[in-house]
Amino acid sequence: MANEVILLDFWPSMFGMRTRIALREKGVDFEYREENLRDKSPLLLQMNPVHKKIPVLIHNGKPVCESSIQVQYIDESWSHKNPILPSDPYQRAQARFWVDFIDKKMYEAQRKVWASKGEEQETGKKEFIELLKILESELGDKPYFGGDDFGYVDIGLIGFYTWFPGYEKYGNFSIEAECPKLIAWAKRCMQRESVAKSLPDSEKVTQFIADLRKAFGVE
Amino acid sequence: MASEQVKVIGAWASPFVMRPRVALNLKSIPYEFLEETFGSKSELLLKSNPVQKKIPVLLHGDKPVCESSIIVEYIDETWSTSGPSLLPSTPYDRAIARFWASYLDEKWFRSLRSILKAEGEEEKKAAIAQVEEENSFIEKAFIDCSKGKAFFNGEHIGYLDIAFGSFLGWLRATELLSGHKLVDEAKTPSLSKWAEQFCNDPAVKPVMPDTAKLAEFAKKIFAKPPA
């Protein structure tokens, strides 16, 4: 049976990036379709009626929603190469815990860094840096979050890296100064073809943030 | 490894804590339940879950596993030969189960609590309408997932049954306090039947909190301070 894989996505989405990376890790051919979030396609609304959000992975006509769920689905459906989750149940539980942590905490925290000003921004910055430090501590001296091999948590976090220069610009701080090991880890991930191909230029993302700030009247 | 001692750190009223307990019961794994005192966190909890500082925590030997749905998957994978699988067998069905479990935690339970937190009739009505709309999605999901069988997971209780079933105590307590039925034969016929079967299961009965007791507890924690 032919594998038809479509990804409904939005280029700066750090969540969409996860699914792109996972598909490329597995060598899966897919059709990337850019969504205009202010004018969502009928297909998007049909395939994700509950949340109406990207990314949506459509595999042979059947939708899978939520990026962390998509990455697990991809790992299970194309299990022949580049395992994404570890095989040991305890390691798997740890990996899931950290992606869940990123899902629950990172988005809101990073948003405050560029979408607010004054005291709200300062609080947001502190929170965000604290989260990064927790993650950096979890990474420790390992090359990747799971150890020697690139995997689920790395995929879960790396998309945010393209937004870092934007956070630094609008938050007026240096992430490398705060979390040097995390930056080293990010650069290591960027050397991987699946990651390099799936992430947009940081400059483009920073410009996108500038446009959002104008649109929200933050400037 | 599978034979090491199992403990669950939790509290009787928490729906999230119920999940690993049901899963362990389904797998016939004995465990020690360490009840936290409401309002304070034990040293063991803080040591075992330093990042989130939340219950439930499963301790397998000395290894902690955190986050209720993640714990359920861990239980299923670790004791895979004990009892039926808690997760569906195909990647797609697993993705669907995980999707709905996530929806319940992120949207549905928050909507349910909004009924209890509502100030005034208008707010309460709106909160009830929101939950009823979400219940209609879940009713449809049940029909799709169960494929004519008794549970979301088919013939046996599984991951999504546990995810939603663990909220039934709070659902019933909310119905009691608000005077409004949310899941019943008229509105959600499939879920109504499923709820009864879930609650009657021997793995569930011992850990399902009493509705009246939960309602009292809910009144206490959602009590509005005097003006």
Side-chain angles (χ1 to χ4, degrees):
Chain A
M1 182 199 206
N3 264 313
E4 190 204 43
V5 181
I6 299 170
L7 179 64
L8 305 181
D9 201 347
F10 180 49
W11 69 270
S13 164
M14 52 287 254
F15 301 104
M17 289 175 212
R18 293 167 169 182
T19 313
R20 295 171 222 166
I21 294 170
L23 287 167
R24 291 193 167 105
E25 281 287 309
K26 300 292 186 173
V28 176
D29 279 322
F30 66 99
E31 184 193 334
Y32 178 93
R33 286 195 201 169
E34 190 73 47
E35 283 284 331
N36 175 356
L37 298 185
R38 274 165 301 168
D39 184 18
K40 294 177 180 178
S41 72
L43 185 63
L44 172 57
L45 299 175
Q46 185 203 349
M47 292 283 143
N48 191 358
V50 173
H51 298 302
K52 305 175 174 61
K53 285 180 172 178
I54 56 91
V56 178
L57 180 74
I58 308 172
H59 185 198
N60 293 330
K62 299 209 294 201
V64 179
C65 305
E66 297 297 300
S67 62
S68 42
I69 293 175
Q70 288 160 1
V71 174
Q72 292 186 77
Y73 174 80
I74 290 164
D75 197 35
E76 291 168 16
S77 299
W78 288 278
S79 53
H80 60 298
K81 77 183 229 192
N82 288 347
I84 292 173
L85 269 107
S87 50
D88 170 70
Y90 184 71
Q91 299 305 325
R92 288 159 76 83
Q94 296 311 298
R96 286 175 173 142
F97 173 86
W98 285 106
V99 172
D100 179 70
F101 173 81
I102 293 164
D103 282 352
K104 285 191 171 119
K105 306 261 182 179
M106 284 287 280
Y107 189 72
E108 282 312 310
Q110 61 89 42
R111 209 171 181 282
K112 284 189 204 153
V113 175
W114 58 265
S116 61
K117 38 185 191 196
E119 224 185 290
E120 202 192 332
Q121 192 191 36
E122 280 307 304
T123 317
K125 250 170 73 180
K126 275 199 191 89
E127 234 178 79
F128 180 69
I129 292 167
E130 205 193 303
L131 288 179
L132 290 184
K133 289 197 160 151
I134 291 172
L135 288 163
E136 190 181 55
S137 164
E138 175 57 26
L139 176 68
D141 290 316
K142 305 189 298 271
Y144 300 105
F145 278 89
D148 289 328
D149 297 313
F150 180 77
Y152 190 57
V153 184
D154 309 290
I155 293 176
L157 184 60
I158 192 60
F160 288 86
Y161 179 64
T162 58
W163 287 66
F164 280 9
Y167 303 152
E168 290 175 323
K169 179 174 181 183
Y170 297 111
N172 195 26
F173 67 119
S174 158
I175 296 177
E176 185 149 18
E178 301 282 350
C179 301
K181 280 189 174 159
L182 207 61
I183 297 299
W185 158 84
K187 289 181 177 163
R188 190 176 301 127
C189 290
M190 289 302 293
Q191 292 183 2
R192 227 173 152 78
E193 200 184 339
S194 64
V195 176
K197 281 201 161 141
S198 303
L199 266 48
D201 268 335
S202 276
E203 273 148 46
K204 273 184 152 178
V205 176
T206 305
Q207 183 55 54
F208 174 70
I209 297 172
D211 296 340
L212 282 179
R213 281 167 59 90
K214 254 192 220 120
F216 295 158
V218 187
E219 292 282 291
Chain B
M1 166 68 172
S3 61
E4 280 174 273
Q5 213 204 2
V6 181
K7 297 179 187 172
V8 173
I9 307 174
W12 70 273
S14 162
F16 304 101
V17 170
M18 212 179 123
R19 292 170 176 174
R21 300 183 79 185
V22 172
L24 289 166
N25 287 348
L26 287 167
K27 296 284 190 181
S28 306
I29 305 297
Y31 67 94
E32 189 186 347
F33 183 56
L34 302 170
E35 179 114 39
E36 289 283 305
T37 310
F38 181 66
S40 72
K41 296 183 190 208
S42 70
E43 263 199 58
L44 182 63
L45 172 59
L46 296 175
K47 188 182 87 160
S48 308
N49 189 359
V51 175
Q52 303 277 29
K53 306 178 174 62
K54 286 182 174 181
I55 49 164
V57 177
L58 178 93
L59 287 167
H60 189 189
D62 58 358
K63 291 194 176 142
V65 182
C66 308
E67 292 301 309
S68 61
S69 290
I70 294 173
I71 298 172
V72 172
E73 291 214 46
Y74 174 79
I75 290 168
D76 196 36
E77 291 169 11
T78 300
W79 290 282
S80 53
T81 52
S82 259
S85 260
L86 301 178
L87 273 287
S89 55
T90 71
Y92 189 74
D93 288 341
R94 283 199 286 276
I96 295 298
R98 288 170 181 146
F99 173 86
W100 287 109
S102 172
Y103 175 80
L104 289 168
D105 285 357
E106 272 150 49
K107 284 228 159 127
W108 188 89
F109 191 48
R110 197 170 299 189
S111 302
L112 186 77
R113 289 195 325 271
S114 297
I115 298 175
L116 296 171
K117 291 197 230 176
E119 301 197 4
E121 269 312 300
E122 281 310 304
E123 225 180 275
K124 190 171 123 183
K125 261 196 204 154
I128 287 173
Q130 180 65 32
V131 173
E132 292 194 323
E133 194 196 349
E134 293 173 8
N135 283 349
S136 71
F137 294 154
I138 303 168
E139 172 87 358
K140 178 166 190 301
F142 177 80
I143 294 165
D144 291 340
C145 293
S146 62
K147 303 180 181 59
K149 302 281 197 290
F151 300 104
F152 282 93
N153 200 39
E155 307 234 348
H156 305 282
I157 289 176
Y159 176 84
L160 185 51
D161 301 281
I162 294 171
F164 194 34
S166 61
F167 282 133
L168 286 172
W170 277 87
L171 177 83
R172 298 304 184 205
T174 305
E175 289 177 335
L176 185 66
L177 290 170
S178 65
H180 184 97
K181 274 277 188 183
L182 296 160
V183 166
D184 67 13
E185 306 86 61
K187 294 173 187 167
T188 53
S190 302
L191 287 180
S192 181
K193 193 164 162 216
W194 163 82
E196 202 184 323
Q197 296 202 258
F198 181 83
C199 291
N200 282 332
D201 193 279
V204 174
K205 259 196 174 144
V207 295
M208 179 66 80
D210 172 69
T211 301
K213 199 175 167 200
L214 251 189
E216 278 311 302
F217 179 74
K219 268 204 275 194
K220 203 168 78 178
I221 63 173
F222 288 114
K224 278 134 195 135

